[in-house]
Amino acid sequence: MDGQFSLPAGTLEPHETIRGAAVREAREEVGIELDPAALRHVHLLHGRTAGNDWTGHFFIATHWTGEPRICEPDKHGELCWAPMSELPDLVIPYVRQALDAVAQGQTYSEYGWTD
C-alpha cells in the first residue's frame, strides 16, 4: 500500500513461529534485534482484504538493540514515530483499527468482513 504507513510486518516462513516472524521482520525492515521472550502479544486481527482471509498478530516491544532505520528502501520510504493519539492520516486502515483496539485493551478484532 504505497504512500501509507504501517508497522514492520510480513508473512511466515516455513517452520517459523509467529513470534519468530515478528523478530525476523523487525530485523529485516528496521534493523533492530528483539528478544522473543520480551515480546508481548496484544492483538489478533482477522482480516479480509482483496478476497483473501488472513490473521495479523500484533506484538509490543518495549526495548530492542540497534537504531531503527529503513533497511528496505525499495519497499519503504519513511520511518515515523508518533504517539497513538497523533498517528499520521495515511496509516493503512486495518493497521489503524488494530492500533486503536490495542489502545482500548481489545485483544481481537475483525476487518473487511461483511454480514
Side-chain angles (χ1 to χ4, degrees), residues 35-84:
D35 175 0
L39 290 178
R40 186 166 54 98
H41 187 268
V42 293
H43 193 73
L44 171 63
L45 176 77
H46 189 193
R48 183 167 178 79
T49 53
N52 296 311
D53 304 352
W54 51 272
T55 56
H57 296 265
F58 293 77
F59 291 87
I60 288 181
T62 55
H63 61 277
W64 53 85
T65 303
E67 186 66 30
R69 65 192 187 285
I70 294 175
C71 295
E72 299 176 321
D74 56 318
K75 296 180 182 177
H76 310 289
E78 183 178 352
L79 183 64
C80 172
W81 290 96
M84 291 288 287

Side-chain angles (χ1 to χ4, degrees), residues 3-6 87-97 99:
Q4 296 192 45
F5 286 97
S6 187
L87 293 176
D89 291 335
L90 294 176
V91 172
I92 293 173
Y94 58 80
V95 172
R96 180 179 296 278
Q97 176 181 307
L99 292 174

